[in-house]
Amino acid sequence: GAVVSQHPSWVICKSGTSVKIECRSLDFQATTMFWYRQFPKQSLMLMATSNEGSKATYEQGVEKDKFLINHASLTLSTLTVTSAHPEDSSFYICSVTGADYGYTFGSGTRLTVV
Amino acid sequence: GQSLEQPSEVTAVEGAIVQINCTYQTSGFYGLSWYQQHDGGAPTFLSYNGLDGLEETGRFSSFLSRSDSYGYLLLQELQMKDSASYFCAADTGGFKTIFGAGTRLFVKA
């Protein structure tokens, strides 16, 4: 299956600053990557579908100007949380679909905004 | 709306068998997946059912009945390390996967 690396694994930032999260597909060319947000003890909520070389597709209710997604290559997608606020504190996870069924997830990024 | 329902918590003892059920209601359906997630970690893929019936992978098995919009994950010979959250996820087509709220499994000694 695919191997996905996500960085950083955790980050603490001040309110109003921006944070960039990287998701790399190490052994698989991923034309499509997915970004999820997960609050404690809750399910994964799809935020957006990242498409290589084109604009991301955002789910309803997700602010595209706040959560900037760039998928400039077949192995890298980035999620930038702009002007972060405490309510943005969450666990952010990326995933790719490999050749087999199912998604391979990155290790996740725990964002804490203080 | 589209939704997946699964129990919030299940408790079982080491060595036992536990079944986690999942019922789904989606506008499109291609298959049901199961994921395991330990606290603080990322979900890992366990199994996928595209067709009705039972899929077995070691101690874990998964079942799907399309006519009943129902599936389950069966964990046998439970071990302490199986304590985790388990999510069912419906593939609704076009890269759209909807996740259930997750079932927290507690395995006791």
Side-chain angles (χ1 to χ4, degrees):
Chain A
V3 179
V4 179
S5 172
Q6 188 172 340
H7 178 81
S9 56
W10 61 269
V11 58
I12 300 173
C13 70
K14 290 185 176 181
S15 188
T17 61
S18 296
V19 173
K20 179 185 283 189
I21 302 170
E22 294 187 349
C23 180
R24 294 182 183 273
S25 177
L26 299 183
D27 62 347
F28 179 77
Q29 291 189 327
T31 55
T32 304
M33 292 186 178
F34 306 90
W35 287 97
Y36 296 84
R37 180 166 54 183
Q38 185 179 34
F39 292 106
K41 298 185 180 181
Q42 294 188 22
S43 188
L44 295 118
M45 299 301 296
L46 179 65
M47 298 175 66
T49 302
S50 172
N51 305 298
E52 187 268 335
S54 65
K55 292 181 179 180
T57 304
Y58 290 82
E59 294 301 301
Q60 192 172 7
V62 177
E63 300 174 58
K64 60 180 68 175
D65 294 331
K66 180 169 185 61
F67 299 99
L68 301 179
I69 291 173
N70 184 283
H71 194 155
S73 77
L74 289 171
T75 60
L76 174 65
S77 175
T78 61
L79 168 68
T80 301
V81 183
T82 63
S83 186
H85 291 284
E87 58 264 31
D88 298 323
S89 298
S90 187
F91 191 51
Y92 292 86
I93 317 174
C94 66
S95 74
V96 303
T97 54
D100 299 322
Y101 294 117
Y103 292 90
T104 299
F105 288 87
S107 54
T109 298
R110 187 159 302 283
L111 170 64
T112 302
V113 185
V114 297
Chain B
Q2 305 194 95
S3 65
L4 288 88
E5 299 290 330
Q6 54 182 128
S8 58
E9 285 187 9
V10 173
T11 301
V13 297
E14 220 174 355
I17 299 172
V18 71
Q19 178 173 313
I20 299 174
N21 298 320
C22 174
T23 57
Y24 59 88
Q25 182 177 2
T26 59
S27 56
F29 181 82
Y30 289 84
L32 194 69
S33 302
W34 289 91
Y35 293 84
Q36 178 192 62
Q37 184 180 30
H38 287 97
D39 285 345
T44 55
F45 173 74
L46 292 178
S47 68
Y48 175 82
N49 292 74
L51 302 173
D52 283 3
L54 191 68
E55 293 284 341
E56 296 180 78
T57 309
R59 294 188 297 115
F60 295 178
S61 302
S62 59
F63 173 83
L64 175 66
S65 169
R66 286 172 172 263
S67 60
D68 296 321
S69 297
Y70 162 77
Y72 66 71
L73 179 69
L74 191 73
L75 297 86
Q76 303 181 71
E77 300 173 20
L78 279 176
Q79 302 174 9
M80 297 297 287
K81 67 178 182 179
D82 296 330
S83 292
S85 291
Y86 292 85
F87 295 90
C88 57
D91 176 5
T92 64
F95 287 132
K96 289 287 187 180
T97 296
I98 301 173
F99 287 82
T103 298
R104 288 182 67 84
L105 171 64
F106 298 95
V107 180
K108 295 183 174 181

